[in-house]
Amino acid sequence: MSITVRLFASLRERIGFDETRLDQTPATVAEAWQQVTDIERPSNTLAAVNHEYVDLDHPLSDGDEVAFFPPVTGG
C-alpha cells in the first residue's frame, strides 16, 4: 500500500523536493503532510487528491496521489 505526494511552487522550494512515495498509506491528507515533513503546514495550503480539491481530513486510499500547493492567484 502506498501513495504519491507531490509538492508545488514555494512548498517544493521550502521542503526541498517535488515528489515522494509513502509506503504506508496515511489515513488522511493531513497525516500525509506530517509524514513527508516536520515543517509546519502553512494555513493557506491547498490540497488535492487525484486532481480534485479536498479538505485536510479527506481519507486516503492505496494508490492515491496527494498534491499540496500554495493558493493560486492571477490577474
Side-chain angles (χ1 to χ4, degrees):
M1 294 177 39
S2 66
I3 65 164
T4 301
V5 178
R6 301 184 72 198
L7 303 168
F8 292 92
S10 60
L11 296 176
R12 175 185 62 226
E13 294 167 9
R14 182 174 178 195
I15 295 171
F17 59 87
D18 62 352
E19 184 175 311
T20 191
R21 189 164 200 84
L22 297 177
D23 292 329
Q24 295 283 16
T25 302
T28 65
V29 171
E31 288 179 20
W33 177 272
Q34 293 170 343
Q35 286 187 24
V36 298
T37 183
D38 58 358
I39 295 173
E40 186 174 338
R41 180 185 45 79
S43 62
N44 60 352
T45 300
L46 300 175
V49 174
N50 302 326
H51 305 275
E52 297 284 332
Y53 288 113
V54 296
D55 292 325
L56 295 173
D57 62 353
H58 184 82
L60 295 174
S61 300
D62 184 36
D64 281 346
E65 178 186 77
V66 180
F68 294 103
F69 47 95
V72 179
T73 61

